[in-house]
């Protein structure tokens, strides 16, 4: 499932809905794998797979102050104009998963790795 995220130094923060399947899955089993990639054709594709443990956090949590500011800054262009009102109308119960990586695997087809 494509999800919005920010990756400060200590953890990855992935936004999700409280009532969504992702939130429920993490509540049942906090082990998680995330794939982030870029590129369209085979020779451009590069990315990482992050494996770790997820901790659900409410957007209002004190631990979310810096990460949510970074999240807002990153996605500001998508939330501009009517974007924010559409987002607020469609996404109720915004939460975040704090993922602390245990393992990171990377690939880069452009460099043959």
């Amino acid at each position: 499932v494509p999800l919005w995220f920010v990756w400060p130094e200590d953890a990855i923060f992935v936004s999700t809905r409280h009532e969504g399947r992702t939130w429920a899955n993490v509540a049942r089993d906090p082990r998680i794998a995330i794939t982030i990639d870029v590129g369209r054709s085979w020779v451009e594709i590069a990315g990482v797979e992050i494996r770790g443990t997820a901790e659900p956090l409410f957007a209002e949590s004190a631990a979310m102050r810096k990460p949510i500011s970074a999240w807002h800054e990153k996605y500001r262009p998508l939330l501009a104009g009517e974007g924010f009102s559409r987002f607020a109308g469609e996404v109720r119960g915004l939460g975040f998963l704090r993922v602390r990586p245990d393992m990171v695997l990377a690939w880069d087809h452009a460099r043959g790795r």
Side-chain angles (χ1 to χ4, degrees):
V1 172
L3 299 170
W4 290 2
F5 72 95
V6 291
W7 193 347
E9 293 178 19
D10 62 333
I12 301 163
F13 293 83
V14 180
S15 58
T16 186
R17 302 172 192 208
H18 299 153
E19 71 275 2
R21 179 172 282 175
T22 302
W23 188 272
N25 287 346
V26 166
R28 189 178 68 253
D29 184 351
R31 295 173 299 165
I32 194 168
I34 299 170
T35 302
I36 303 168
D37 62 6
V38 296
R40 293 185 181 262
S41 70
W42 174 257
V43 296
E44 298 173 330
I45 296 174
V48 294
E49 178 183 330
I50 300 106
R51 297 179 189 172
T53 303
E55 174 188 359
L57 296 170
F58 291 94
E60 303 81 19
S61 167
M64 285 304 305
R65 286 189 181 135
K66 287 184 181 180
I68 206 164
S69 292
W71 183 87
H72 278 286
E73 188 62 33
K74 180 179 180 181
Y75 295 106
R76 182 183 309 276
L78 297 174
L79 298 172
E82 293 181 18
F84 184 77
S85 60
R86 285 192 60 202
F87 179 83
E90 293 176 19
V91 178
R92 297 235 184 333
L94 180 64
F96 287 82
L97 304 176
R98 177 171 40 199
V99 179
R100 298 192 190 274
D102 294 327
M103 181 182 349
V104 177
L105 307 167
W107 58 91
D108 186 345
H109 293 283
R111 295 184 181 178
R113 297 188 241 165

